Amino acid sequence: MGSGRVCSAVAFLLLLYHLGVAAAQGASSWKTLSGKAPAIIAKGGFSGLFPDSSEFAYQFAMIASSPDTVLYCDVRLTKDGLGVCLPDIKMDNCTNIADFYAEGKKSYLVNGELMTGWFSVDYNGTELSQVSLKQAIYSRTFRFDPSFFPLLAVEDVASKFNPPGMWLNVQHDSFYSQFNMSMRKYILSVSKRVIVDYISSPEASFLTSLSGRISNTTKLVYRFLDETALDPSTNLTYGSMLTNLTLVKTFASGILVPKTYIWPVSPDNYLLPYTSIVDDAHKAGLEIYAADFANDVKLSYNYSYDPLAESLSFIDNGAFSVDGMLTDFPVTPSEAIGCFTNLNRSNTDHGKPLIISHNGASGDYPGCTDLAYQKAVDDGADVIDCPVQVTKDGIPVCMGSINLMDGTTVAKSPFASQIAVMKNIQSVLGVFTFNLTWDEIVNNLQPKISTPFSTFTLDRNPRYMNAGNFMRLSDFLKFSKNKDLSGIMIIVEYAAFMAEELGFDMVDAVIKTLDDSGYNNQTSQKVMIQSTNSSVLVKFKEQTKYDLVYMVNEDIRDVAPSSLDDIKTFADAVSVETASVFPENHQFTTYPTDLVQSLQTAGLSVYAYALMNEFVSQPYDFFSDATAQINAYVRGMGVDGLITDYPATTRRYKSNACMNMGKKTPSFMAPARPGDLLQIISKPAQPPALAPMPLLTESDVSEPPLPAARLNNASTAPAPSFACKMQTPIPILVTLATLCACVLL
């Protein structure tokens, strides 16, 4: 046939300090027990993508991860004594066994708990040869399941993949004794045929029985489960065993613990002070390995949905380092260990790719607030952005949407009664910035953090969901002026509507505010003006010398020559959606378009938008790892800039030690090749082909000149008709929309 400890608050604050300054220190030995780099242990191979313990998973782990990655196998025994790699003692979810043995469901006691399902001990190797592994975690893609993945014996894994390290986990030794089977005998036997580097178990007696009977080079690792759970061989809780690591040292050389033993998490999903367990283990002479790393789960909010940040907090924090990490996604700790430790973050490089914020650091704080902009600057953004909207009294403000329902608490305010549809702007109900004066906004509303993936319960920084202060354009310019930035980006939309319906000249208002702030007389920061409307950029080109960015807000595969010639007359750069660079089909990339090359060949810079850390925003090809996604756009396609909700992730990427290694770049930092994963899906599971995306044509780009503002003095005196231009709302719709908005909030 073919997985007193709490330090003081003072120590926690010191660690947070080290997290910020450790990179400024020179390269030093690892804070592991041996002083060597932490081990990367691939749980069932690359099980975050392929079925756990399948041939694809093990093979991909060897290709896409560090070359010294250890392959991990959860060993289960079959009826005839074969040891196979299976992620669960029950085969229901991880295989298709029910398709072959529909009547095979049985119930057994497993460590005192009655379990019902299909078990490997009821079948011999021949009977299991037709059974295939499948994805056991329902939130992950099922597309690879129709491929045939036979169960692999321990010997198969060793011979097929020749891994640099082999880790066997024995989770339920005592379970097999009721069938007169001995996992101990099997392990002793297989270790004579296969080089086994690690053997782990949550049963102390099992490890004790192996001590002195296996190779001296094989490490025995005691696996801790939940602190309240009992070790069936000692009848002691794992929490009590943790207080007696000296005892553990008598039968093991290391311990494997859930990651929350090291970095506990509060009930509302924020990190608590780190514990002393790593230091305690090292003092006892034990190596300590952390488990449960996966990129496609809800991480602590402190990590901003960045799995690489989580990995680094366990190995490169200035205070401690675990000796290894057990992970479903071995590419991420490979990146961390190989390219992202001991970085010098004090040097801010404003070269390519440009890091352009999207409403500031809007993944961490409500967008376009002082907190979001300060975080973007602190996190190393090269350019921060202000999407300009206009209030009822004619004040340009920075807000991510003209609809106050999107980024404020207006639905809970007295102004919710003004809700209506503005068909020239949006087809949804809203209260718009031009319905309220600046004073009405700042005195009655609070900012609201964006939650683009709330349907997946992936909320953003809820402790600060309404934090920060709104900013006028003049406030934004004053804030930006003396910051370490290469430039600012001003975004102008709805200019024609503002001129025709509200008598407000957006372009003139922006130019005047920039002039009043001194931006027309300085060269230290470039000013970028972005718009989806060519007419807006044409007017700015006529009146200023600012850099102009044309934003394409639809998915396109390329630009027609005639439209390219048109864009070059008014723009210096083009912002394109990420899917226009790598089209997606059911969350798999399909092919790289020619768009970036076409635009750059024409002398136009290309910015991709909007990048987010949340794994559901990324195709599977990027391994639920924002760093892998960034790498694909920068090294794979050569974009000139990235517009992102999380500038810190891109800033760290620009600082990585593997950035300029050329042909020596390690495999785990090679950019993902679009379409590769899609090609290995078997034909029955292939998603239906998508229609080709359109070209951007001249008719898409060309626009008539902006109309003159209805009121000549609109930029200095607010138009009294701002409010009366609203369409009359229908009372029933108003009530329903307000109630729905309040429920969502």
Side-chain angles (χ1 to χ4, degrees):
M1 282 187 61
S3 196
R5 295 187 299 114
V6 178
C7 291
S8 67
V10 173
F12 180 53
L13 292 173
L14 284 173
L15 178 58
L16 294 180
Y17 169 76
H18 281 302
L19 285 170
V21 303
Q25 302 169 359
S28 60
S29 61
W30 292 92
K31 294 183 180 295
T32 56
L33 184 63
S34 66
K36 297 179 181 178
I40 301 164
I41 306 112
K43 181 184 176 298
F46 209 117
S47 54
L49 186 60
F50 300 104
D52 190 308
S53 306
S54 67
E55 186 168 348
F56 274 19
Y58 284 127
Q59 187 174 33
F60 199 71
M62 300 304 297
I63 294 171
S65 310
S66 176
D68 56 359
T69 296
V70 176
L71 296 187
Y72 176 100
C73 165
D74 274 301
V75 184
R76 319 287 176 183
L77 293 180
T78 65
K79 188 176 184 178
D80 51 350
L82 285 175
V84 296
C85 299
L86 277 170
D88 196 345
I89 193 167
K90 295 199 307 176
M91 301 177 66
D92 312 22
N93 291 335
C94 60
T95 74
N96 63 353
I97 191 167
D99 295 341
F100 298 95
Y101 304 103
E103 306 300 320
K105 183 184 292 188
K106 293 187 178 180
S107 297
Y108 295 116
L109 280 176
V110 181
N111 292 352
E113 179 185 353
L114 186 65
M115 291 189 177
T116 301
W118 283 259
F119 296 82
S120 61
V121 292
D122 293 321
Y123 306 92
N124 61 39
T126 301
E127 291 169 328
L128 291 176
S129 62
Q130 58 188 330
V131 174
S132 178
L133 293 159
K134 66 178 184 178
Q135 182 56 258
I137 298 177
Y138 296 135
S139 60
R140 293 174 176 170
T141 181
F142 64 90
R143 296 283 177 183
F144 301 106
D145 289 356
S147 299
F148 179 64
F149 296 117
L151 276 61
L152 297 176
V154 171
E155 296 89 339
D156 295 332
V157 176
S159 61
K160 283 177 177 288
F161 310 111
N162 192 27
M166 189 82 173
W167 185 307
L168 302 183
N169 182 61
V170 177
Q171 197 74 5
H172 302 100
D173 169 59
S174 56
F175 167 74
Y176 295 99
S177 61
Q178 62 186 293
F179 304 98
N180 295 318
M181 303 176 73
S182 173
M183 181 64 82
R184 173 180 170 274
K185 287 183 179 179
Y186 170 76
I187 292 295
L188 291 175
S189 173
V190 78
S191 63
K192 295 176 182 178
R193 304 187 300 275
V194 172
I195 297 175
V196 180
D197 299 273
Y198 304 85
I199 299 171
S200 62
S201 174
E203 300 179 23
S205 62
F206 176 72
L207 295 176
T208 301
S209 72
L210 296 178
S211 183
R213 295 175 175 83
I214 57 173
S215 169
N216 291 332
T217 61
T218 301
K219 297 179 179 181
L220 299 180
V221 180
Y222 185 50
R223 181 165 195 173
F224 284 78
L225 306 180
D226 185 89
E227 290 190 48
T228 61
L230 290 174
D231 177 339
S233 69
T234 65
N235 210 33
L236 296 173
T237 66
Y238 292 103
S240 63
M241 292 291 286
L242 200 60
T243 65
N244 195 354
L245 294 179
T246 303
L247 172 64
V248 175
K249 178 61 178 172
T250 64
F251 60 84
S253 61
I255 59 175
L256 175 63
V257 302
K259 64 185 181 181
T260 52
Y261 271 42
I262 300 168
W263 277 107
V265 178
S266 68
D268 61 345
N269 201 35
Y270 287 86
L271 290 179
L272 295 172
Y274 69 97
T275 70
S276 62
I277 184 173
V278 176
D279 190 45
D280 294 344
H282 286 170
K283 286 179 178 177
L286 291 164
E287 293 185 317
I288 179 167
Y289 303 89
D292 303 330
F293 289 94
N295 295 357
D296 56 350
V297 296
K298 188 173 185 175
L299 306 178
S300 166
Y301 295 120
N302 300 73
Y303 299 127
S304 299
Y305 292 101
D306 182 354
L308 180 54
E310 181 189 43
S311 291
L312 289 169
S313 75
F314 283 82
I315 63 171
D316 185 39
N317 55 49
F320 64 82
S321 173
V322 297
D323 298 278
M325 301 172 67
L326 178 62
T327 175
D328 293 8
F329 292 84
V331 66
T332 301
S334 297
E335 295 166 350
I337 294 167
C339 302
F340 286 91
T341 55
N342 293 313
L343 299 183
N344 181 6
R345 297 183 182 89
S346 62
N347 180 24
T348 304
D349 169 24
H350 290 310
K352 293 181 182 180
L354 274 182
I355 305 169
I356 306 169
S357 74
H358 179 238
N359 302 335
S362 56
D364 293 305
Y365 293 105
C368 300
T369 60
D370 55 345
L371 291 180
Y373 288 129
Q374 186 61 60
K375 184 75 163 61
V377 172
D378 293 343
D379 288 347
D382 298 308
V383 176
I384 59 174
D385 67 310
C386 169
V388 177
Q389 316 299 342
V390 180
T391 63
K392 181 178 179 180
D393 48 346
I395 296 176
V397 298
C398 299
M399 285 196 177
S401 173
I402 195 172
N403 189 345
L404 293 169
M405 299 289 287
D406 296 331
T408 77
T409 57
V410 70
K412 292 183 176 181
S413 77
F415 303 107
S417 61
Q418 297 191 34
I419 199 166
V421 173
M422 293 294 293
K423 292 183 179 178
N424 292 338
I425 297 178
Q426 292 180 344
S427 59
V428 297
L429 288 162
V431 179
F432 300 90
T433 58
F434 49 78
N435 295 141
L436 307 183
T437 66
W438 171 247
D439 285 344
E440 287 172 334
I441 290 173
V442 298
N443 292 326
N444 295 277
L445 309 184
Q446 289 180 294
K448 183 179 69 174
I449 200 167
S450 64
T451 55
F453 307 109
S454 58
T455 54
F456 299 94
T457 68
L458 299 179
D459 298 324
R460 292 176 167 180
N461 200 8
R463 287 184 183 176
Y464 295 86
M465 66 179 300
N466 299 121
N469 298 303
F470 297 114
M471 297 185 77
R472 296 166 295 191
L473 175 58
S474 58
D475 300 326
F476 170 83
L477 297 175
K478 182 179 179 181
F479 167 85
S480 306
K481 200 162 190 182
N482 296 315
K483 300 296 188 295
D484 183 14
L485 297 165
S486 65
I488 58 172
M489 176 181 279
I490 309 299
I491 301 166
V492 179
E493 301 294 345
Y494 309 114
F497 170 83
M498 293 292 176
E500 290 182 320
E501 301 296 326
L502 307 179
F504 190 86
D505 192 315
M506 289 276 286
V507 174
D508 285 353
V510 169
I511 292 174
K512 183 180 187 305
T513 310
L514 284 165
D515 290 349
D516 291 345
S517 300
Y519 268 86
N520 59 328
N521 293 319
Q522 59 85 47
T523 57
S524 59
Q525 292 180 357
K526 66 179 177 181
V527 176
M528 306 164 72
I529 306 293
Q530 177 175 278
S531 181
T532 58
N533 298 116
S534 60
S535 56
V536 169
L537 299 180
V538 167
K539 186 169 181 179
F540 270 104
K541 188 176 181 66
E542 293 170 351
Q543 300 185 32
T544 71
K545 295 183 179 179
Y546 298 140
D547 286 12
L548 305 177
V549 183
Y550 182 55
M551 187 178 207
V552 181
N553 59 351
E554 62 176 317
D555 292 342
I556 57 172
R557 72 178 188 272
D558 207 344
V559 184
S562 58
S563 61
L564 193 58
D565 292 338
D566 194 4
I567 294 171
K568 287 166 59 179
T569 64
F570 61 79
D572 306 287
V574 179
S575 295
V576 299
E577 294 185 358
T578 54
S580 292
V581 181
F582 296 128
E584 298 175 28
N585 187 355
H586 289 74
Q587 288 190 273
F588 289 92
T589 61
T590 55
Y591 61 92
T593 67
D594 297 325
L595 180 61
V596 174
Q597 183 179 0
S598 296
L599 293 170
Q600 289 178 337
T601 300
L604 296 164
S605 296
V606 180
Y607 309 136
Y609 75 91
L611 273 69
M612 292 172 273
N613 287 357
E614 289 90 346
F615 64 91
V616 294
S617 71
Q618 303 153 8
Y620 293 118
D621 307 68
F622 303 143
F623 318 131
S624 302
D625 183 339
T627 298
Q629 181 184 36
I630 292 167
N631 196 41
Y633 285 95
V634 175
R635 291 195 64 237
M637 295 302 289
V639 299
D640 301 284
L642 297 170
I643 301 174
T644 173
D645 289 9
Y646 296 94
T649 306
T650 308
R651 169 52 61 189
R652 188 190 56 222
Y653 172 81
K654 287 179 67 171
S655 304
N656 85 79
C658 301
M659 190 71 173
N660 299 305
M661 294 182 67
K663 293 182 179 180
K664 295 182 180 179
T665 301
S667 60
F668 52 81
M669 284 299 290
R673 298 195 309 179
D676 276 8
L677 287 183
L678 200 59
Q679 291 178 17
I680 63 175
I681 297 174
S682 63
K683 286 187 177 180
Q686 285 272 349
L690 298 179
M693 293 192 303
L695 285 173
L696 187 71
T697 64
E698 188 174 5
S699 61
D700 298 320
V701 176
S702 181
E703 293 179 346
L706 281 178
R710 181 172 52 80
L711 297 176
N712 293 332
N713 63 343
S715 62
T716 55
S721 58
F722 268 28
C724 67
K725 296 305 293 184
M726 291 296 299
Q727 299 178 19
T728 303
I730 302 172
I732 294 177
L733 288 179
V734 172
T735 303
L736 288 174
T738 304
L739 286 173
C740 290
C742 290
V743 169
L744 290 172
L745 289 169

